[in-house]
Amino acid sequence: MNTPSMFLILGLMGACAAQAADWRVDPARSRLGFAYQAMGAEIQGEFSRFGADVRFDPAHPESASVKLVVETGSIDAGIPEASQEARSANFLDVTRHPLAQFVSTSIKPLGQHRYQVQGELTLRNQRRPLSLVVLLKPEGAQQRLTGTLLIKRLDYNIGTGIWGDTSSLSNEVRAAFSLLLKPHPDKPATGAKRK
């Protein structure tokens, strides 16, 4: 049944240091979730495996870059049968497309810890532009990045055929993310599993 969505995510940028720095996601204290309508009911889901490569200088946000990677096979679509279907060739096709990713192209400060993030989301080998507003606030020496976005699954050829009927399975998937970013001592994270 349903499908991805999420993200993913999202956009991101990380932050808060006087110097440009590498940041990584703390997966144990982060979440990439999504919601969709199936047969008239709202169902919640999430992805459990993801990582990010974040470079951000708060003094020069225009030079920031973010890459968020999600393992599509880690999807939990809220119902066991839906999770199995979401991994199939009809939906995410995780065997042929094991990763989804968001890559930023620009980040613009909006004030009050808010940023406009432009980028591209690649899902099932389909790449589409994506724009979202995120909130980035400090949590001690770390940063909490939150935001929401709307993804249309059919734009990525997800759930076509009999699942193309949006009256039974919504085309729109609403993603919500809350990512804890922490300075990386060596290099950016490329993946981790939530505990």
Side-chain angles (χ1 to χ4, degrees):
M1 260 176 152
N2 161 59
T3 165
S5 114
M6 51 242 96
F7 338 82
L8 331 167
I9 322 100
L10 329 238
L12 313 96
M13 75 241 70
C16 158
Q19 303 291 328
D22 290 338
W23 297 79
R24 65 173 177 173
V25 173
D26 181 345
R29 292 187 286 172
S30 301
R31 183 173 188 272
L32 292 177
F34 58 94
Y36 62 98
Q37 294 281 332
M39 306 304 180
E42 181 172 284
I43 301 175
Q44 304 285 331
E46 67 177 340
F47 288 84
S48 62
R49 293 183 65 87
F50 46 85
D53 178 350
V54 179
R55 291 179 181 272
F56 184 74
D57 180 349
H60 301 284
E62 70 282 355
S63 65
S65 67
V66 176
K67 181 178 181 180
L68 175 69
V69 178
V70 179
E71 292 188 20
T72 56
S74 72
I75 188 172
D76 177 349
I79 301 171
E81 295 82 0
S83 298
Q84 182 176 355
E85 185 66 29
R87 298 184 187 100
S88 74
N90 292 325
F91 285 86
L92 292 178
D93 197 1
V94 302
T95 300
R96 291 196 297 173
H97 306 291
L99 299 177
Q101 70 175 23
F102 173 83
V103 179
S104 66
T105 54
S106 70
I107 297 174
K108 177 182 177 182
L110 300 176
Q112 297 184 327
H113 303 289
R114 296 166 63 248
Y115 294 83
Q116 178 77 49
V117 179
Q118 305 284 347
E120 294 181 325
L121 175 64
T122 301
L123 193 54
R124 273 190 63 122
N125 209 33
Q126 301 295 313
R127 185 169 58 186
R128 300 284 185 271
L130 192 64
S131 176
L132 66 154
V133 174
V134 300
L135 182 67
L136 182 68
K137 298 189 72 173
E139 286 190 8
Q142 301 168 328
Q143 298 285 324
R144 174 68 64 178
L145 181 70
T146 58
T148 61
L149 65 154
L150 197 65
I151 296 172
K152 294 185 177 181
R153 63 180 177 86
L154 294 176
D155 288 349
Y156 299 89
N157 296 328
I158 293 172
T160 56
I162 62 171
W163 296 108
D165 179 2
T166 58
S167 64
S168 60
L169 181 64
S170 61
N171 185 32
E172 296 182 341
V173 181
R174 186 169 299 278
F177 58 91
S178 178
L179 305 179
L180 185 68
L181 304 178
K182 58 184 181 181
H184 197 294
D186 301 312
K187 59 184 180 179
T190 56
K193 182 172 177 62
R194 286 205 309 127
K195 304 293 185 182

